[in-house]
Each structure stands twice: as C-alpha cells, then as structure tokens.
Amino acid sequence: MHSFGRDYSPNGEVASIFRTELARDNPNAIEFVDASLEMARFDGEENEKPLLDFLRAVFEEQMPDLVVPIGSPAVMFCRRHRSTLFPHSPMLLLDAEKRRVEMMKDDPDVVSVGPDVNINYLAGNIFEVLPKTRHIYVAQDASPIGRFWTTVMKREWDAAYSNRATFHWMNDQSLKQMRSTVSALPPDSVVLVGMMMRDAAGVPLVEETGLDAMHESANAPVFSFNDLQLGRGTLGGRLVPQKRVAVEGAKVAMKLLAGVPPSSLPWQHFPLGAPVYDARELKRWGISESALPAGSTVLFRKPGLWETHRSSFLIFVGVIALQTGMIAMLLAARKRAREMHADFTLAADSGNIGLWSRKPGVDELEGSAKWRTIFGLPDSGSVTFEDVLARVHPEDKSMLRSAIELAARDGGAFSLEHRVVHPDGSVRWVSSHGHVHAFGDRQKLEIRGASRDVTERRRATQEAEQRREELAHLSRVATLGALSGSLAHELNQPLGIILSNAQAARHVLACDQPEPEEMCELREMIADIISEDRRAGDVIARMRTLLRRGEVSLQPLDVHQQLQEVVQLTRSDLIGRGVKVDFQLAEDVPPVMSDRVQFQQVLLNLITNAADAMVANPPGERSITLTTCQDGDEVRIDVKDAGTGIEGEPESLFKAFHTTKEHGMGLGLSISRALVTAHGGRLWATRNHDRGATFHITLAATKGVT
C-alpha cells in the first residue's frame, strides 16, 4: 500500500528495494498486489471510497498473506479500515517514522520497521559543515504529511537554532517559484530539501523532480534528509537510513510469510546514520574534507591518473625493459590487433551491439561508442562501474550487480535483460552478456561483455502479449455467450427451488401456531433455500471469473479442481446436448504453474469443441472422457470425444481462422495453443483408433510449491 504512488520519492525507492530483496531471497513464488492512496494528488478521507471498493473486490475471496503499508499515510489508512479489509492478515508497517506508529504498538498482529528521526540533526547537518550559515531555505511540499512535518520542524528548529540562522519556508511556492528563489540566494545561505510530493500549485513531483530542480537552480549548497538521495546533488550529513529500512523490512517480511507471529518480532526503528558526503559536491562548493565531522565517509571520489593507470604503466615498463629486441614484432602485432579490433567493432556496431571490458585491478570500464550510446553515457571520458550502475533502472540495479558478482565468484558467464534510464528520462531495455576471467589467485578479474538495445523487441513482445490477451478475452466472452442459454437454465433451477420453498414457508408461517412437524418442514425449507442460493452464487462466481480481464498471474493450480469447475460450468449445456462426461483422474497428480482464468479457458474450449463434434451422434453415443496422469516432470490432460474425428492433418486445426463449424471464428484452438505455449506447455491433437479425436495438454509439474 503506497502512500503517494510507486513513482514518488523516497517511498517509491524503498518499495523497489523491498520488493527486489524479498522476491530474490524468498524460496517460494510471491504475488505482489499494489494499491496507492495517491495522496500527492487527492487530499481527504472522502476520496478513499474507490480504493476501498477496489480492495474489497480484489480480496473478496482470499485475504492477503501480508499487508505492507509504506509511509505514514498508508499506515493511517490501513489502521482506519483494517477491520473491514484485512481483519486477519499480519501487517508490516514499513518506512513510517517511529512517532507516527506508536498508537499501533499494542496490536499483536502488527510489526514496524522504519526510521527514528532526530529532527534537530536534520538541520544540524548544515551547521556541522558550514557553521557560518545564516539563511536556510526549506523546500517542503504542501501535501498533508508535508504540512505535518513542517509544523514539527518549525517548532523544534525555532527552539534550537533561532539564534544561529533564519529559516525561510517555501511551502506556498510552485516549483517554478522555488527555482527562481534558490537561484538568487544571499551569501551564507543553503537549501534544505525535504518531502516534495507536489508543489503549492498542485503539480505532482514524481521521483526526484523537486530535488533535481533545486540542485540545478541553486546558487548555494543543497542538503536533504535521506540516504537514497545522496549522489543526486546533495551534500550529505547524518541521513535517514531508508535503504537499511527497506532491506531489514524484507527480512522481517520473509519471517512473517514463513508463519512467524508478528508479536514475537521486535519493532525496529533506526536512527540517523553516520555522516556521509558526496565528494563532487564538496569540491563544487569549495568545502575541505578536514571540515567534516570525525568519522565521516566521503563517496564518489574519482581516482587520480596514477591510481587509474598504475598497473598498466608498471607492466608497460617491464615489457619495454625485457623485450627491447622485440619492438618491431610487437608493433606489428599491435597493428594487427588494432585492425582486428576495428573489424570486430565494426561488425558489432552493424548488429547494434556495444562492446565493453574491465581490465584486472582497475575500476574503469572501456567500451565502444555504440555501448556508450546504449547506456546514455558521455561520448568521451572515463567511465567507472558505478557510473554504469547509475544509468541502470533502480529496480534492476541489485539484479545486475548480483549477476556480475556471482559470475566473478565462480569465474563464469552472466546474461540478463535490464532497463537503462537515459539523462533525458527515457527508459530503454538492454540485453547484457559477459564473461569473467580469473587470473592467478583469482584476486584479479577481467570482465568482457556485450550489450544490445532490445527495447523494440520487448515492446513488440509486450504488444503481442496484449493482443493475445485481448483475443483470449474475446474468445472467453464468445464461448460464454454460446453457453448463455444453459447458464440461464443453471441459474433458473436454484432460483425456482428457492421461490417454491419460500412460498411454502410463507404458507406454514401463516398459521398462528404451526405444528411441530410443520416447524421441522420449515427448517428443511430454509436449509434448501440456503443450499440453492450458494449453488447459484457459485455459478455466477465462475462466470464472473472467466469474464474478468486482468494481468496474467501464474500460480500453482490443482488440475483436477480446474477440470471439475469447468465441467460444472458447462453441466447444463452438456445435459441439454445429451453428452456424458467420464473422469479418469490419476492419484497424486502434482499442481501445475499457470494462470487460472487462461487455463480454464483452454479446458472450456476443448470440452465445448468435443461436444460440438458429437452433434450428429445418436443419443447415448455422445461421451467425453477426461484423463489426467503424470508423465515424468509433466502433467498431461487428455480430452477425448466420440465425434466425427479429424479430417486432414491434425496440425491444421491450430491455424488461425481454420474452422470446421458453420458459424465458428477459427480462433479458439489457435488461442488455446498460444496460451498453453506461453505457460511452457504443449497442446496437440490425435485421431482415436475407433472414432473421434483426443486433444492433449502437457504442463510442467511444480516442485516444492503449495
């Protein structure tokens, strides 16, 4: 549950790190469901009704295993509505400041991981480095939580620092006005950037828009509050450890998902971290590292020329001293190497591939011009591994770093696709491949790799997936439309029974003093009404599930349960056609990983096709046999009919717009095969020895998933 949306900093970065850590380290598959209060755009509890309706609909049938509100507004929302939304689900309060969650400390189903902020230190960071500061311009937004913290800061800072500096609050300014203000600050001024979700004009400030604008425009040093903002133009100091909050929160979430009760886990609230600073900002504003507090850490230093090239220089001198007589041969070899490198680079550029390498013992990467273009790097100048990571999308950084570290540890290859954010804000998908070579005692590693921009391929794949889902949805709607008559009959039966029992009950209740026998009959009538109401509700629920559109959600599915539900949905239609269904289900068949709606769509299509194939059969000779078995590491489902069989090649049935029905679209089997293939399975057809045809589905059996 996001307080401001996934794109708003810093809670958005905390959520990204939390999801990455939890998904990477948890042994089982996790389905994340996101919701947002969008407090940056809409204020007031009166705007919560659409979100409440959405959450009630999503969790109508199954409660979440864990609820994670991120930030104080989300915590307050969950506290207000927990009894109606998630009464029995454990709750992890993430990234909410300690004083904002104290009122929930007595709840045994709640645990909290967040910061414990010393408000005075946030301003004290400035005086530790710049003791002569006289003006502090505070860029804080106008959202409800922004106004709350502004009130707290004014109260505490006026009491602690009113004799040292004047605080200028910019809450009532738009971002444009703030930029104008900080561009012409008087001497001995600084800018302190707090929470910036939207400006006074109501414009949302996603990601780090506000911080970036202050850094770009200010004519004085910029300070901020949290460690995730260091490296984006802030000087530093004792910062809120939000990265640590996200990582430790993921560890607590793993314990909760494993069944550990929240009441047995301690509440963790971390104080501000040790002082840390950005070397680039210190240099920009002429601040000596000797002026920093004791124990400070300085990041983002660029190595000097000697440190960068020392190993190469020593090796070069040794080679010259030992091999003077081989200069001519060496020059010829180098010339040939340059030619080969040029040819290889030309071939790579032609294939839109960027080449890069990292030599042993140095942090600097060398790469082709195409590689720099792919990552949005400058055309010239040194590039370090951290420079490259800075271009990688925040949600993909840990994945890329882990892949390279694993390859470095094992001396092997790595391959993955990740996103890259260019300076203009555009996001590109990149496929990176590389290999790590170890030398000597494995302390020196050489990495060579190639990267390719696959954005267009990913976009085409996503568009194809979207079109396939749209076709699948249309196919489901068409199938249910064809079954509408039988479904209406399926609903009329329980409704008729409910009506007749209700009328009979009213007749019994019309008597002043019903006999004991009549009271027993009345109880039976009420029990019948309840049973038939549930029967009608089950029919509606199955129809609504198949008509729903949404993202594909892979989960372990019980094959036998899915078969029973689809047959139950088509029961009236099959009875009306005189079709008998026989089950031959093997025992101990493991679940398969698939999307429930799409899996049922495939089964529904095959069963209705089988019934259509037997229309010309005499009554009593219309039967469908559903068989399941485990075949090695796969589960197989067979749908066998006694119909007219297959004319021509069985594979022709799966071609788009191929149909044997008078009013068919010719898309059902084509879509069904596409859905099964997308889930890693196979769908094919064979002729029966006697009569009819059999359609076979195989899907990989899950292991260790319940």
Side-chain angles (χ1 to χ4, degrees), residues 292 318 330 356 413 573 582 606 654 673:
L292 302 180
L330 180 60
W356 57 272
D573 182 67
D582 294 324
L606 296 182
F654 299 95
R673 171 173 278 187

Side-chain angles (χ1 to χ4, degrees), residues 436-497:
V436 180
H437 303 273
F439 296 90
D441 58 356
R442 302 184 65 84
Q443 295 302 312
K444 294 183 178 181
L445 302 173
E446 180 183 55
I447 308 176
R448 293 185 178 276
S451 299
R452 183 176 184 182
D453 190 325
V454 294
T455 304
E456 298 306 322
R457 191 199 72 192
R458 294 278 303 208
R459 184 177 294 117
T461 301
Q462 292 173 354
E463 290 177 354
E465 180 65 27
Q466 181 180 357
R467 299 297 179 267
R468 183 174 66 192
E469 173 57 25
E470 291 173 353
L471 282 174
H473 181 255
L474 289 174
S475 180
R476 289 197 300 272
V477 172
T479 302
L480 289 177
L483 294 173
S484 59
S486 61
L487 292 173
H489 177 71
E490 188 75 8
L491 287 172
N492 282 333
Q493 283 187 330
L495 292 176
I497 295 174

Side-chain angles (χ1 to χ4, degrees), residues 479 483 486-487 490 542 565-576 581 604 607-608:
T479 302
L483 294 173
S486 61
L487 292 173
E490 188 75 8
R542 286 192 292 269
E565 289 185 8
V566 173
V567 171
Q568 187 66 24
L569 183 65
T570 59
R571 186 174 68 91
S572 294
D573 182 67
L574 295 175
I575 292 174
V581 178
L604 179 64
I607 290 174
T608 55

Side-chain angles (χ1 to χ4, degrees), residues 4 8-9 38-44 139-147 170-171 173-175 178 195-206 210:
F4 311 103
Y8 288 85
S9 179
E38 290 295 330
M39 291 291 287
R41 295 191 179 97
F42 309 110
D43 297 342
Q140 184 91 314
D141 73 3
S143 67
I145 188 172
R147 293 194 296 269
M170 298 187 288
N171 308 67
Q173 297 185 16
S174 66
L175 182 62
M178 289 185 192
M195 183 174 295
M196 297 190 70
M197 306 298 173
R198 70 178 182 189
D199 64 8
V203 178
L205 306 176
V206 298

Side-chain angles (χ1 to χ4, degrees), residues 288-309:
S288 172
E289 292 188 14
S290 62
L292 302 180
S296 297
T297 300
V298 179
L299 302 179
F300 308 109
R301 285 196 186 99
K302 288 193 175 182
L305 184 63
W306 168 249
E307 288 81 6
T308 303
H309 300 287

Side-chain angles (χ1 to χ4, degrees), residues 398-445:
S398 60
M399 176 180 63
L400 178 60
R401 189 189 294 272
S402 298
I404 295 177
E405 289 176 351
L406 180 62
R409 185 187 66 190
D410 299 335
F414 63 91
S415 178
L416 74 164
E417 291 187 358
H418 57 88
R419 287 164 290 179
V420 169
V421 182
H422 281 206
D424 61 358
S426 62
V427 178
R428 308 293 295 178
W429 277 96
V430 175
S431 176
S432 292
H433 309 267
H435 198 282
V436 180
H437 303 273
F439 296 90
D441 58 356
R442 302 184 65 84
Q443 295 302 312
K444 294 183 178 181
L445 302 173

Side-chain angles (χ1 to χ4, degrees), residues 319-533:
V319 169
I320 293 298
L322 295 175
Q323 300 183 358
T324 303
M326 302 177 64
I327 291 179
M329 185 182 299
L330 180 60
L331 292 176
R334 287 184 174 179
K335 180 180 178 181
R336 179 58 181 161
R338 286 195 298 268
E339 293 174 349
M340 293 178 61
H341 183 268
D343 293 341
F344 189 65
T345 302
L346 178 61
D349 289 346
S350 300
N352 198 29
I353 298 173
L355 305 176
W356 57 272
S357 64
R358 176 182 173 183
K359 293 183 178 180
V362 297
D363 188 41
E364 184 176 333
L365 276 70
E366 297 179 355
S368 65
K370 177 62 69 175
W371 173 71
R372 289 174 176 266
T373 301
I374 290 174
F375 277 81
L377 297 166
D379 295 337
S380 60
S382 62
V383 177
T384 66
F385 182 65
E386 293 300 327
D387 292 335
V388 175
L389 275 184
R391 288 284 190 263
V392 177
H393 194 282
E395 294 182 4
D396 299 342
K397 284 183 182 180
S398 60
M399 176 180 63
L400 178 60
R401 189 189 294 272
S402 298
I404 295 177
E405 289 176 351
L406 180 62
R409 185 187 66 190
D410 299 335
F414 63 91
S415 178
L416 74 164
E417 291 187 358
H418 57 88
R419 287 164 290 179
V420 169
V421 182
H422 281 206
D424 61 358
S426 62
V427 178
R428 308 293 295 178
W429 277 96
V430 175
S431 176
S432 292
H433 309 267
H435 198 282
V436 180
H437 303 273
F439 296 90
D441 58 356
R442 302 184 65 84
Q443 295 302 312
K444 294 183 178 181
L445 302 173
E446 180 183 55
I447 308 176
R448 293 185 178 276
S451 299
R452 183 176 184 182
D453 190 325
V454 294
T455 304
E456 298 306 322
R457 191 199 72 192
R458 294 278 303 208
R459 184 177 294 117
T461 301
Q462 292 173 354
E463 290 177 354
E465 180 65 27
Q466 181 180 357
R467 299 297 179 267
R468 183 174 66 192
E469 173 57 25
E470 291 173 353
L471 282 174
H473 181 255
L474 289 174
S475 180
R476 289 197 300 272
V477 172
T479 302
L480 289 177
L483 294 173
S484 59
S486 61
L487 292 173
H489 177 71
E490 188 75 8
L491 287 172
N492 282 333
Q493 283 187 330
L495 292 176
I497 295 174
I498 290 172
L499 177 61
S500 60
N501 277 281
Q503 291 173 338
R506 184 175 64 180
H507 178 73
V508 171
L509 292 174
C511 301
D512 293 336
Q513 293 182 343
E515 297 295 329
E517 296 81 6
E518 292 176 329
M519 292 302 296
C520 290
E521 291 178 359
L522 182 60
R523 293 188 185 95
E524 292 176 359
M525 295 173 192
I526 295 174
D528 287 344
I529 290 173
I530 294 173
S531 174
E532 295 303 316
D533 177 79

